[in-house]
Structures are given as C-alpha cells and as structure tokens.
Amino acid sequence: MSFTSLGLSEPILKAVAEEGYETPSPVQAKAIPAVLEGRDVMAAAQTGTGKTAGFTLPILERLSHGAPAKPNQVRALILTPTRELAAQVGESVRTYGKHIRLSSTIVFGGVKINPQMMRLRRGADILVATPGRLLDLANQNAVKFDQLEILVLDEADRMLDMGFIHDIRRIIQRLPKVRQNLLFSATFSDDIRKLAKGIINNDPIEFSVTPRNTTATTVTQWICPVDKRQKALVLQQLIEENNWHQVLVFMRTKHGANKLASFLETKNIKAAAIHGNKSQGARTKALADFKAGAVQVLVATDIAARGLDIDQLPQVVNFELPNVPEDYVHRIGRTGRAGATGQAVSLVSADEFKQLSDIENLIHKLLERRFVDGFEPVHDLPASRLNARHRPEPRPKKPHSEHRDGQRSGEAARGHKPAGSKPAGTGRPTGARNKPRRGGPASSGNRTGDARPAPKSR
Ligand code: AMP
C-alpha cells in the first residue's frame, strides 16, 4: 500500500514524501481513511507506531477543505499528557502541513501564558495542548470552541495516570456535542473505556496495532546486581568502559535525577536531568543537547521521558526499577526502536527484589544477571523464580466496542524483541561477567516481545 491510495491530497503527500515515508504504517493505513470518512476512532497504539501522522495527516486534509479558524477559535484540538509530547506533535503538524495554508499553535504549562494568549487571538486551525494550560486559557476566554470539529486525545492512558481526568472532563463540557473524536492509547483499560464512553460517538472504528519494525528490533536486557550505594559508581564504570555515548537513565525521583546528573558531571560525563520541576526551557534544551550528542547521559523520571521520540536509542539504564512493572516495558521500549538494536540494563539492589520479581513475571522471563568486577554486592539479591502459574501471552486484540463494560481488550503487543539473540555491538560490558544464577537459566525464553499483563477475565 502507498500513501497515494489513502485519499490525501497532493500538498500533504508531498510533505510525507519529503519526510522519506514510503509506506503507511499499520496505524496510518487504518486511521487515515477512517478519519477522512469522518468516523470516530479508538486505537490501541503507542509511540513508535507512527500514530502521530496517523491522526495528523487526515486532520490536515479535512481542515484544508473548510473555512479558517476565526479569532480565538480552534477547529481541531489535540490533547497530550506532557509538554514534550505536545511540542513533538505540534512539530509534526507543522512538518506535515507545510504545503497547506492552515494555522497551528501549541500551548502547555510551565511557560508564560501571555504569549500563548496573543497567538490564540488569531485563532488556530489546529491547537495542540496539555489539559491544565488549556483550561486556564479557556477560563480566560483566550480560546473558544464554537468552531471545533475534531478532538484528539493522544496517549489517553498517560493522561489518566497523570490525573488529568477532571481537566479532560471539564474541557469536553466546553466542546460542541457534534464533533469527530479520535482516542489513542497504549492500552485499553477499564478506566480508558469509561473515559471513552463519555467522549466517543456511536460506532467508532476500533483497532490495535503493534509498533513499527518490531520484528527487526532487538533489545538485549540484563540486570546488574549491585549494592544501592555503589550504583552511581557502577554506572560511571559501565559508561566509561563500554563507551556508551547516548544513554537514557531512568530514576524514580526528581531529586535522584538531579543528584545523579551532578555526580556524572563531576566525573566529566556530560549529563542532564529532565523532570517535571525543570523549566520548559531547560527540558527542551536538555533533550536537544541529548539528541545532538552534546549531552551523553539524559537522566529522566518516567513521566518526563514518556512519549519522547528519540529514535534508535542504543542504551537505556534503569538506575532504579520502577514500582509499576508495566513501566519497565515502557522504559525499555525507548531502545532498539525503528529496527535498531539496543541494550537495556537495570542496576538492581537487594531491596528491589520484589520489583524485579514482578517485572520478570510480567515479561515471563528471568533476566540475565551480570556482575561488574569490583562491585559484587554485599547484600545478596535473591534468586527469582517465575510463578508456576504461567499466564498466557495476550494476543494483540482489537478493542471491541461490545466490551465497553470494562473487559480489557485490544492491548497492543509491545515492541520489544527477545533478548535471546545477541545483537552486534551490544555484548557483554567490559568488566562485567555472567554468573550462574541459582534461579534458573540465563535466558528463559523469548517472550519479552509481547510482554503484557494477561487480560483480566471477569
Ligand atoms: P510516532 O509513533 O507518531 O511517535 O512516530 C514515530 C516515528 O515514526 C516518528 O519519528 C515518525 O517520523 C516516524 N514515521 C511515522 N510514519 C512513518 C512512515 N510511514 N514511514 C516511516 N517513518 C514514519
């Protein structure tokens, strides 16, 4: 299939071609015709699937046929959970819409509101916004929705996780009842279905996709058992000895992220922290520097890292394991994207045994343990075991409208490939050695690729 068969007009096809896209990704092949038809869409698709173009391209097409937005009015509203994602989506709107005459703008919190109010005075055909700031602007009459035709909720699951549910409901109340609704979410949990019920019109098109290039993607995962106090030093050693040039490090806390970035700087490793307490300017700069290679290590909290489009990241490090095991899968999804190989390393101390065990059970796999010479832990990390009750791997399933009463469905399989085959250049780190584990084989299969919790049965 080619883009030309999807019903997009020449100026949009030209922009797509200029981006070098040849074939529509599955989410694009499904979403573009549906949106052009004016249907509501509910899609289980995460970052990396090409979902942004999936909704942006047909929105541009549809809007290009109508009258432009009047002052302070908006014709398509795209809500995103984070500022970074808003900036990225806004950038995509500009890129794909560069040959058509539509206006767009981006608004998010953490920066001055006045310039945003000024920009909105002219009206925007497409507005990309985070919920809190949008409400502030709406409350001050800086943005109005009389002309609104299309609403997009991007990464709806994250918006709920981040507590935006009330803001979203308040925003929806302000919108015209007749409109087209597009909802994109990595998962279709009960909460998402509840939210969707109040937003989506009857008879939406529903589908689920797996991330692009998953078959070509290889992520090597291993853990390094180490005492808590030694983690920063181990990380320094791994970076230096293996010459890791672009590392995304995950921390649980903002304070921890700052502290680690400062520590690495004292060791002459260029590092920056990115989290919710950083000003927007600092976050944007850190990300740009990281992408450009001026910053070698980006230390991020989960929320700050969510949705960042950093392609082909070679190295992800979990400095601490996440409390929610699904976050592990999201985190390692940052690496080995778009057909590249990647390595995901977790520094695990004895007190994180429970988190480790939860993760291993979620992904149905015991993670290989490699010790770093000189940093063998004093506090032993117990051997883990998979629960005997082996849960079946959920198949990517279409989110089904008949199951709105809460049945979980439509989970997209995640884009992580087995650790079984070793990709070139991601071998054992210098100074790290494999140690036979008491808890089972070094690699217990290759099911990480589709690792998701089993669907709840009711
Ligand atoms: P997204 O899932 O929207 O965050 O997109 C992930 C990445 O895929 C972005 O860097 C896009 O530029 C890229 N992309 C989107 N659609 C295509 C396509 N059809 N062919 C190649 N790359 C694409």
Side-chain angles (χ1 to χ4, degrees):
M1 181 188 278
S2 75
F3 276 100
T4 46
S5 60
L6 291 176
L8 299 166
S9 57
E10 206 44 55
I12 295 176
L13 291 173
K14 188 171 169 209
V16 166
E18 283 167 3
E19 284 308 290
Y21 305 169
E22 287 168 4
T23 334
S25 69
V27 67
Q28 293 160 2
K30 290 193 170 105
I32 293 172
V35 179
L36 290 178
E37 264 179 47
R39 301 279 300 272
D40 278 15
V41 168
M42 276 177 76
Q46 60 174 193
T47 305
T49 55
K51 66 181 166 66
T52 315
F55 60 77
T56 305
L57 298 174
I59 288 176
L60 288 165
E61 182 68 47
R62 279 181 74 84
L63 296 183
S64 68
H65 300 292
K70 297 190 177 127
N72 295 101
Q73 299 287 348
V74 168
R75 296 172 65 205
L77 171 64
I78 303 171
L79 288 177
T80 71
T82 63
R83 309 160 189 189
E84 281 78 13
L85 188 60
Q88 280 171 23
V89 172
E91 192 55 43
S92 296
V93 170
R94 265 195 293 274
T95 304
Y96 304 136
K98 65 182 167 199
H99 301 303
I100 48 176
R101 289 174 66 85
L102 286 174
S103 57
S104 68
T105 191
I106 311 167
V107 298
F108 45 67
V111 293
K112 285 189 187 138
I113 199 165
N114 273 2
Q116 297 178 350
M117 294 172 99
M118 300 290 281
R119 287 203 306 273
L120 284 166
R121 273 193 198 166
R122 292 190 288 268
D125 292 310
I126 301 177
L127 174 63
V128 187
T130 52
R133 176 53 61 94
L134 181 71
L135 264 184
D136 287 348
L137 288 160
N139 287 336
Q140 298 185 48
N141 281 329
V143 59
K144 298 176 184 162
F145 302 104
D146 310 271
Q147 260 187 292
L148 188 106
E149 298 167 45
I150 307 172
L151 168 70
V152 182
L153 294 189
D154 192 14
E155 301 205 352
D157 51 337
R158 269 290 131 168
M159 289 207 250
L160 294 194
D161 289 352
M162 291 171 70
F164 286 137
I165 182 72
H166 298 300
D167 285 353
I168 291 172
R169 289 200 194 287
R170 281 185 206 116
I171 291 166
I172 304 281
Q173 278 169 8
R174 291 173 173 264
L175 306 183
K177 296 255 173 318
V178 178
R179 51 167 203 267
Q180 186 176 13
N181 302 286
L182 316 176
L183 187 146
F184 289 80
S185 184
T187 59
F188 269 88
S189 61
D190 296 355
D191 285 342
I192 293 288
R193 292 195 162 274
K194 228 190 289 157
L195 173 72
K197 234 177 180 167
I199 294 175
I200 300 277
N201 294 324
N202 287 333
D203 197 26
I205 290 194
E206 304 189 7
F207 59 84
S208 170
V209 295
T210 51
R212 268 187 319 132
N213 288 329
T214 49
T215 48
T217 301
T218 312
V219 179
T220 303
Q221 304 170 60
W222 54 276
I223 65 169
C224 171
V226 61
D227 284 335
K228 216 178 190 57
R229 281 176 313 158
Q230 306 275 34
K231 282 189 177 184
L233 290 169
V234 164
L235 178 64
Q236 178 198 351
Q237 177 154 322
L238 287 171
I239 291 171
E240 287 175 349
E241 294 196 349
N242 298 289
N243 203 11
W244 288 346
H245 60 279
Q246 198 185 34
V247 193
L248 179 61
V249 179
F250 284 96
M251 300 287 292
R252 276 210 292 264
T253 66
K254 299 167 190 173
H255 174 66
N258 286 339
K259 220 169 110 185
L260 181 63
S262 305
F263 167 81
L264 293 171
E265 285 279 322
T266 64
K267 303 293 175 190
N268 288 325
I269 298 173
K270 288 298 288 172
I274 181 166
H275 54 66
N277 283 3
K278 291 269 176 188
S279 71
Q280 187 51 38
R283 291 161 72 163
T284 310
K285 182 171 184 318
L287 183 60
D289 287 350
F290 184 60
K291 282 185 172 179
V295 159
Q296 191 179 348
V297 182
L298 190 64
V299 189
T301 55
D302 283 291
I303 285 178
R306 180 76 192 177
L308 296 183
D309 179 24
I310 312 169
D311 273 347
Q312 308 192 3
L313 199 54
Q315 194 67 53
V316 165
V317 174
N318 295 308
F319 195 86
E320 293 149 338
L321 289 179
N323 284 330
V324 179
E326 283 83 355
D327 280 348
Y328 175 84
V329 181
H330 285 304
R331 286 180 179 189
I332 69 165
R334 317 281 354 157
T335 184
R337 294 171 64 190
T341 56
Q343 190 174 206
V345 181
S346 303
L347 310 182
V348 186
S349 48
D351 59 315
E352 292 174 294
F353 175 68
K354 178 169 183 319
Q355 286 96 320
L356 175 64
S357 177
D358 288 349
I359 289 166
E360 291 179 321
N361 275 292
L362 173 71
I363 64 176
H364 309 302
K365 174 179 161 48
L366 293 175
L367 292 165
E368 182 188 346
R369 298 177 177 210
R370 296 182 195 173
F371 293 80
V372 174
D373 283 333
F375 291 101
E376 289 85 352
V378 175
H379 304 285
D380 205 22
L381 180 65
S384 31
R385 276 213 318 226
L386 295 182
N387 289 340
R389 195 168 56 84
H390 194 75
R391 293 185 296 179
E393 177 182 316
R395 292 217 196 107
K397 208 168 89 184
K398 195 173 158 242
H400 204 285
S401 46
E402 277 145 48
H403 294 159
R404 288 272 180 74
D405 55 350
Q407 181 175 338
R408 182 179 185 139
S409 65
E411 296 264 21
R414 294 305 170 283
H416 316 298
K417 255 283 183 177
S421 58
K422 190 167 140 190
T426 57
R428 185 176 128 158
T430 316
R433 68 201 146 71
N434 301 1
K435 205 166 151 183
R437 238 204 353 253
R438 280 158 291 168
S443 168
S444 63
N446 60 358
R447 308 194 57 169
T448 26
D450 310 274
R452 295 302 290 166
K456 272 185 234 160
S457 55
R458 297 192 144 214

